[in-house]
Amino acid sequence: MHHHVLLLEDEPNIIEAIRFILSRDGWQVSCHSDGATAVDTVTRLEPDVVVLDVMLPNRNGFDILRDLRAQRATASLPVLMLTAKGQAKDRERAEDLGVSAFMTKPFANAEVIERLRSLVGA
Amino acid sequence: MSFDIVVGVSLAYVLVLFVVAFLAERRARRGRLGWLRSPLVYTLSLSIYCTAWTFYGAVGYAVRSGLEFLTIYLGPTLLMVGWWWLLRKLVRIGRNQRITSIADMISSRYGKSATLGGLVTAIAVLGTTPYIALQLQSVTLSFGVFADTPVGWDTPDQWLVTAWVAIGLTVFTVLFGTRNLDANERHHGVVTAIAVEAVVKLVALLAVGIFVVWGIAGGIGETMARIDASPISQVPIDGSRWFTLIFLSGAAFLCLPRMFQVLVVENDDERHLSTASWAFPLYLAAINLFVLPIAVVGLDLLPPGSNPDLFVLTVPLAMNQDMLAMLVFLGGFSAATSMVIVAAIALSTMVSNHVVIPIWMGVRRGLGGTSGDVRGLVLMSRRLSIAAVLALGFLYHQVSGGGAALAVIGLISFCGVVQVLPALVGGLFWRGATRIGALAGTLCGFAVWVYCLLLPSIGADVVMSAEMLAHGPGGIAWLTPQALFGVPGLDPVVHCMLWSMLINTMVFCIGSLASFPGPLERLQGAQFVNVFEDGANPRGWNEGAVESEDLLVMAQRILGAREAQNLFLAEARAQGKGGYLPDNTPDFLERLERELAGSVGAAAAHAMVEQIMTGSSVTVRDLMAVADETAQIMEYSSQLEGKSRELERTARQLRVANDKLTALSVQKDAFLSQISHELRTPMTSIRAFSEILMSGETLSAEEQTHYSGVIHDEAQRLTRLLDALLDLSVLEDGRAQLAEQDAVLRDLIDRAILSTTSLSSNTVFEIRRDEPSEKIVLRTDVDRLSQVFINLVANARKYCDAEKPRLDIRVSRAGGELTIDFVDNGSGIPAASQQVIFEKFARLSTASAVDGAGLGLAICREIMVRLGGSVAYLPGQGGAAFRVSMPVAEAVRAA
């Protein structure tokens, strides 16, 4: 069975790269770029895991994460946060909000797959 | 002439004076001063300088010493003509300080010293008593000569006449001299009566003179011949005596208590002085005009041995001119009475204010401070003082037996009274004069006068033995009373004046230099010396921590209930307070003190206010010390206040600086975080795709090409970003070198459009411009300005979202400013964002849409600032609109 991953990211090249490596690894990949409707999309699509970028247009990743944790359906949904702002306080903030995993860009492709696998228990 | 007629005429004359005084007083009380305040009345009142000594004595003086009698009038004349500014200073101070007498003047000047006031009063009484006796004597003598003695009266019984005259004068003086408590509410009644008397005595003397010249001698020529032939013109002129007597009479004019009274205290208007300065010398000249003719004719006409002091009266009598003699009698009577009345008023004020009140204050303090009615006490003490002064004069007259010549008594008096001159004049012009100096100098001068002139004048073997007078006390030659320090052969008056003035002045100066003036003395000294300088009004009182009610209670006792209440009420109104109790401001205390000083003298008034102010018997020195200390503390605390304000200011500046630093630090963090994001994002793509390419997975050729292309593009993007960052950093640091050169605006816009064509190749992008308006030659950094234009055109090409995108480029020039507007027809920039677009990384759309680094507009702004212009967003143009403004040289147009 293919695990379903929802990619919340706005940088087209990064979307393409992640979609490519995850598809090759056998994941079902969905993608969404607008921060404002991100929570709805997650609720609607019910993915197994979410890859969340911090810098999304219209709404930042931290707010989206807080909303996800606040609603029952997604309260325990595994979320991997990716950020280009490699600052320690961003990691702390994400952990306080209940993030499942945290990685900074640029990342190693293998590591992303590794993390996602462990999050969905594959 | 019958005794009864003489008495009757005298009484009638006094009655007329009473009426005059009464009417004038009533007029003044109703506020209709009118002619009462005329300079003429003032000048005439000064004529009390001419007493019976002048009226009768001048002729006698001329018979004995020739022209020397003139010195007595030359002194005041010189003073009035040449030194009237000194008088003006006296008058001004007298009014400012509400001075009541010469004792008050000197006491006020030297820190309101009660001791000095008492000393001056004592000198004045001692110096004036013989003078009053002299007036009584002259009245009695003239009476004796003129009236037939009633049956049963022997010559010794003449003392009864003297007694009656003294009593009559006492009554008159009490009635008109003590009506008002405040000596500064002038005695209009008395002054007017004196002016009338001045006229009477002048008319009388002139009448006798005219009678003598034309009635007896037979004309001016004959009179002159008689004068030349008489022994009077043979008397040689003694230079030292003339000099001394002129000085002496001038000084006495200033220092005599009665002269001070009319000159300063009774002065209504400072300007009257300028009239008096010429009118009074004229009066003196007129009254002396016929002295020599009368003397010469008297010597010829009357039997040898006749008293020349009575020639004025005896010459008309000898010629059986009874009516003329009666006029002369009234003139002499006027001269004597006017002097006695004014002298008694002046002396009684001094005695009351400087002797009785201080003693009473001391006693009251000793009794524990329960205050009685001062008003009644002051009035009573004044009236008793008047009686006492006249009684003293009467006694002196009886004891001395009326033997001495009138002129001699007058000169002795003058010498005593002028001992206050150094303290008075020194205090007016020398701020360094002190109380100690004034006291010591005056005392020494006074002592020399008593020792050298007063005691010897009484006669040998009365107080001083003949032996002592001849050879000095105990045979010490240099202490011989009339030849001090071994300088014999001087005239007694010259001798006394020389030594007393010399010693007095020297001791005064040395004492002043050696002693230190108290704070109050310094204040008063400054006020006296600088009386003509405006605004100099140092305060005697610093604090007002007393109940106004206590002050009111005291003021009522002294000023009278109504006056005091009016004073307080007016002050309360002026302060804008309801009720009748004002705040005890220093101004008010000062004024109150002056009001009180008008009644009881400055020293007593000060002591009274002080007593209430402090609630205990604190000396003025203590009080001023406290004030000094307070001033120091206030100074110190104001310094502290200044320091603390300064600290506060520094703290505020530090806070501002800190806030700025904090803001800068936040900005720096945000910037770093932005940079990090902008750099990591392309690097992420590059790493991800290169890992894919490296992983050895099977990729189609198409995929391989595409992924390599992405890596290439992202590397380009990174390079552009780094370039932009470096560019911005150089611009912001001001390190960018501007390379100015001439260019035509149109070419720059052409270049911008051309170099951005690739960005919108897929759509039709219309650009509208008005090329003729772009023919402007610019001198600027062409590359930098092009960079701005390129950026703006590129933004329009990238972000204009209209279906048929269009960019208008409009150029306009107004004055020295060139503006180029770039307006597209897209949806524009939301109002909220218009402020931030020029900030770094303020990219509005997502980076995915275009490949900008978010630094373009920030760089544009920096460039325009460097070029001396600006770039701004133009709201309300439909689409996005930017305006570039820059200065441009006038009238430079490309051909």
Side-chain angles (χ1 to χ4, degrees), chain B residues 474-485:
Chain B
I476 305 172
W478 63 272
L479 276 181
T480 308
Q482 304 207 326
L484 278 186
F485 309 112

Side-chain angles (χ1 to χ4, degrees), chain B residues 41-197:
Chain B
V41 170
Y42 179 69
T43 306
L44 286 175
S45 75
L46 292 185
S47 77
I48 57 159
Y49 180 74
C50 305
T51 63
W53 181 23
T54 299
F55 195 86
Y56 293 117
V59 172
Y61 201 152
V63 168
R64 291 186 197 95
S65 313
L67 283 173
E68 197 181 279
F69 75 95
L70 282 177
T71 55
I72 304 302
Y73 311 99
L74 281 175
T77 299
L78 291 177
L79 187 71
M80 283 307 262
V81 173
W83 288 49
W84 68 277
W85 48 271
L86 187 148
L87 300 178
R88 192 167 70 105
K89 192 164 192 176
L90 269 182
V91 169
R92 175 72 66 86
I93 293 170
R95 295 174 69 85
N96 279 2
Q97 302 268 330
R98 294 181 71 85
I99 296 297
T100 59
S101 65
I102 187 165
D104 194 25
M105 181 79 142
I106 290 174
S107 151
S108 281
R109 163 59 182 86
Y110 297 102
K112 312 194 178 178
S113 155
T115 321
L116 254 179
L119 176 66
V120 175
T121 302
I123 292 177
V125 169
L126 265 177
T128 309
T129 299
Y131 216 145
I132 289 177
L134 187 148
Q135 310 302 317
L136 295 176
Q137 180 186 343
S138 73
V139 173
T140 310
L141 276 178
S142 63
F143 209 81
V145 168
F146 193 42
D148 305 322
T149 315
V151 182
W153 276 44
D154 293 327
T155 309
D157 287 335
Q158 281 179 355
W159 72 269
L160 260 179
V161 177
T162 316
W164 276 113
V165 170
I167 289 168
L169 287 175
T170 305
V171 171
F172 188 92
T173 311
V174 166
L175 274 181
F176 286 98
T178 59
R179 266 185 113 81
N180 304 314
L181 179 53
D182 187 344
N184 250 9
E185 287 172 23
R186 302 173 177 80
H187 306 90
H188 289 289
V190 172
V191 169
T192 311
I194 285 169
V196 170
E197 291 190 302

Side-chain angles (χ1 to χ4, degrees), chain A residues 9-14 16-18 20-21 24 33 53 55-58 83-87 89-90 104-111, chain B residues 669 672-674 676-678 680-685 687-689 691-692 697-700 703 706-707 710 713-714 717 846-849:
Chain A
E9 171 64 72
D10 66 327
E11 190 70 29
N13 289 332
I14 295 177
E16 190 175 359
I18 293 178
F20 179 86
I21 54 174
R24 283 292 173 96
S33 295
D53 182 30
M55 295 283 281
L56 285 174
N58 302 323
T83 178
K85 296 180 173 184
Q87 289 181 338
K89 65 179 180 190
D90 284 344
T104 51
K105 295 172 180 177
F107 44 79
N109 294 352
E111 199 183 346
Chain B
D669 282 355
L672 280 179
S673 153
Q674 281 280 4
S676 165
H677 181 263
E678 297 297 327
R680 280 167 191 268
T681 301
M683 279 166 64
T684 306
S685 301
R687 183 170 177 184
F689 283 110
E691 278 186 20
I692 291 169
E697 291 189 57
T698 49
L699 296 171
S700 64
E703 277 177 328
H706 176 62
Y707 294 157
V710 169
D713 288 350
E714 292 288 14
R717 180 175 159 192
T846 62
S848 55

Side-chain angles (χ1 to χ4, degrees), chain A residues 28-73:
Chain A
Q28 179 197 340
V29 181
S30 306
C31 195
H32 186 81
S33 295
D34 183 23
T37 51
V39 174
D40 288 346
T41 309
V42 174
T43 313
R44 183 163 48 80
L45 295 180
E46 297 180 337
D48 299 315
V49 64
V50 171
V51 174
L52 176 59
D53 182 30
V54 173
M55 295 283 281
L56 285 174
N58 302 323
R59 195 132 193 261
N60 74 52
F62 294 115
D63 290 347
I64 295 169
L65 177 60
R66 186 186 309 113
D67 281 4
L68 289 178
R69 289 297 177 243
Q71 60 181 21
R72 185 187 265 182

Side-chain angles (χ1 to χ4, degrees), chain B residues 40 69 98 135 150 156 206 241 271 279 348 358 528 578 586 612 616 649 657 667 714 790 814 881:
Chain B
L40 188 68
F69 75 95
R98 294 181 71 85
Q135 310 302 317
L206 289 178
R241 225 177 118 83
R271 285 167 300 185
S348 76
F528 274 56
I612 287 186
S616 62
R649 200 163 46 240
Q667 276 178 17
E714 292 288 14
I790 290 169

